[in-house]
Amino acid sequence: MNFGSSALVLAVVVFATHASADPTQKSEDIVKFFAGAGNLGAARGICVGTEEECSSKSETNKAPAKKSSLDMLINFGLDSAELDATARSELDEFAKALKDSRLSTLSFVVEGYTDASGSARYNEGLSQRRAKSVTAFLTSSGVEAARIKAIGMGENNPRAPNPYDPVNRRVEMRISAQ
């Protein structure tokens, strides 16, 4: 993963329907997940010894791999950037987490995506509107606008192999390392 542009990925997955308005992720869970975001990797050191000794030391000291993404269920209808009640509930929990003092120094890039329905130019605009919709909700919930930047990615980087799959209609938030 390139830590120059982002530290972690927060994938906000877009699905066509939701059964309830209860948030999947609670704000405290989100805070705990991202609380260590300032740690961008293991410390580097020099090992003095044989190749075998150093190799065995590094194997023993390896920390378990940290999960790099957090999925939340957000409802965007086809050809829509409007947030439904379930999406608002999910984003409300995310806004609470961002306002927590443990995450107050982090900034995010909100990337909007679409499926392949529509022209590339239209999809760029729609993805931008989706990112702005999420950003507007977060700022209206008290998150500082300077901490969030919205960009549209169109139909680039589909999440599912089928370019028309609704799962490709999503918003991803990346913790900015800049």
Side-chain angles (χ1 to χ4, degrees):
M1 177 179 276
N2 180 355
F3 288 106
S5 63
S6 65
L8 297 174
V9 176
L10 173 67
V12 181
V13 181
V14 182
F15 288 98
T17 60
H18 288 289
S20 71
D22 291 336
T24 303
Q25 300 290 335
K26 299 293 184 195
S27 62
E28 183 61 23
D29 297 331
I30 296 167
V31 169
K32 286 178 183 175
F33 182 85
F34 288 111
N39 177 7
L40 299 180
R44 300 183 194 271
I46 298 173
C47 177
V48 179
T50 67
E51 188 176 337
E52 261 181 34
E53 290 171 334
C54 291
S55 186
S56 69
K57 285 180 187 175
S58 69
E59 289 299 318
T60 336
N61 294 332
K62 274 190 182 173
K66 186 172 180 172
K67 187 177 171 188
S68 64
S69 66
L70 177 66
D71 290 343
M72 299 173 70
L73 302 177
I74 302 296
N75 184 15
F76 281 118
L78 179 65
D79 193 30
S80 174
E82 290 187 36
L83 300 170
D84 68 4
T86 301
R88 290 175 186 279
S89 177
E90 294 291 338
L91 289 171
D92 187 50
E93 289 297 315
F94 188 66
K96 286 179 194 174
L98 290 184
K99 292 185 290 185
D100 187 285
S101 63
R102 294 170 285 178
L103 301 184
S104 64
T105 60
L106 300 177
S107 296
F108 289 81
V109 175
V110 180
E111 298 176 343
Y113 293 89
T114 66
D115 63 14
S117 301
S119 70
R121 185 174 177 174
Y122 180 79
N123 286 340
E124 279 187 37
L126 177 58
S127 66
Q128 180 70 32
R129 289 190 302 278
R130 287 177 175 165
K132 284 183 177 181
S133 178
V134 168
T135 301
F137 182 88
L138 293 172
T139 56
S140 72
S141 297
V143 177
E144 296 174 46
R147 293 178 59 201
I148 307 168
K149 178 183 176 185
I151 59 173
M153 303 296 288
E155 56 194 76
N156 295 321
N157 306 316
R159 199 153 205 224
N162 175 355
Y164 298 97
D165 193 316
V167 78
N168 293 326
R169 299 190 301 260
R170 70 195 188 278
V171 173
E172 293 184 5
M173 294 181 209
R174 300 187 187 278
I175 296 177
S176 177
Q178 297 174 346

